[in-house]
Amino acid sequence: ALPAAIQLRHAAEVEAARAAYNALSTAEQAEVSNYDRLLAAEHTLNSLRLLNNKPSRTVSNRDQFLAALRDSNVGTIVVNGEIKIENIWPFRTYYQYVRHDKIIRGNGKLTYLELRVQSGVTLILDDAITIDGSRKQGSLCKAINPVVLYGNARLIMNGNSSLRTEYGTGFEGYAIKATDNGAYIEINTGGTIWASEHTIRSGANSTV
């Protein structure tokens, strides 16, 4: 069986599973019930290989984090301490787009943040990173969804990564929200996922 949380060290196991599947007859392949798991493992392994070849950047403030998030040459962002992302002036901005495959890890905490992962992009959360979109009790500001997945975006939670959100207004407040079809969500974390609305809202044909 393939490991639950695919890492680079599992490359041989993934490749062996592919070889074993390819050695089956067409009729035998049709009987394999977890082929999607092999495809997902291969996708994750490919993403990890690409990200491993890119530099890592350690951040400790909002500007550093946003610069690393937007930089296609940065593969891994290591978060130190607590970083508040929402900007109030000149206008309130709490969401940020993830347009490139990223690993966000470390023991830090990102607050007042909604990560909007674009279609086809993989976001991996690892170590003890926490994304907390919680508003203050009684807040009239819009509720935050810490991770939003568009199209066939992918979210993988490893280590003790955590998501949390509560309070705020509107019909939001999901820890993970898949807005379209085909999103992939893989939860291997020993951390917590907590939301005032629902933990996960998934679109049609999404895989959780």
Side-chain angles (χ1 to χ4, degrees):
L2 290 169
I6 297 297
Q7 303 289 346
L8 286 172
R9 66 179 181 273
H10 300 133
E13 295 169 69
V14 175
E15 291 163 1
R18 166 54 67 184
Y21 177 83
N22 289 346
L24 299 174
S25 67
T26 302
E28 290 171 330
Q29 288 178 352
E31 296 297 319
V32 176
S33 60
N34 60 346
Y35 181 59
D36 286 349
R37 174 61 184 146
L38 174 58
L39 292 177
E42 290 176 325
H43 194 146
T44 299
L45 185 60
N46 288 336
S47 293
L48 288 171
R49 282 170 167 162
L50 290 172
L51 291 169
N52 190 57
N53 288 327
K54 294 183 177 183
S56 173
R57 188 177 297 174
T58 299
V59 303
S60 56
N61 62 51
R62 180 180 186 273
D63 289 343
Q64 291 175 348
F65 175 77
L66 295 184
L69 186 67
R70 295 164 182 168
D71 191 339
S72 61
N73 293 315
V74 173
T76 300
I77 303 173
V78 181
V79 179
N80 282 339
E82 182 172 331
I83 303 175
K84 179 182 176 181
I85 301 299
E86 184 173 50
N87 190 37
I88 297 177
W89 186 90
F91 49 86
R92 186 177 295 276
T93 304
Y94 57 86
Y95 57 85
Q96 299 294 329
Y97 290 99
V98 184
R99 304 184 189 276
H100 316 284
D101 287 4
K102 293 287 180 186
I103 299 172
I104 302 178
R105 66 190 320 158
N107 297 314
K109 183 178 183 180
L110 299 166
T111 63
Y112 297 98
L113 171 63
E114 180 172 293
L115 287 174
R116 298 183 176 182
V117 187
Q118 299 299 280
S119 182
V121 173
T122 296
L123 173 63
I124 300 174
L125 303 179
D126 210 337
D127 297 336
I129 187 68
T130 296
I131 302 177
D132 190 343
S134 298
R135 298 290 190 186
K136 294 182 179 180
Q137 188 172 9
S139 173
L140 298 179
C141 295
K142 186 178 180 181
I144 294 175
N145 311 302
V147 176
V148 177
L149 303 172
Y150 292 91
N152 59 344
R154 306 175 79 244
L155 171 67
I156 300 171
M157 295 183 65
N158 293 334
N160 290 301
S161 55
S162 297
L163 300 174
R164 182 180 181 86
T165 186
E166 61 181 328
Y167 306 126
T169 62
F171 298 99
E172 302 296 338
Y174 302 93
I176 304 168
K177 180 180 178 180
T179 63
D180 303 303
N181 298 338
Y184 176 82
I185 303 166
E186 183 177 313
I187 299 174
N188 307 306
T189 181
T192 60
I193 303 176
W194 196 94
S196 55
E197 187 63 31
H198 295 287
T199 302
I200 299 174
R201 175 187 168 182
S202 58
N205 301 318
S206 293
T207 302
V208 180

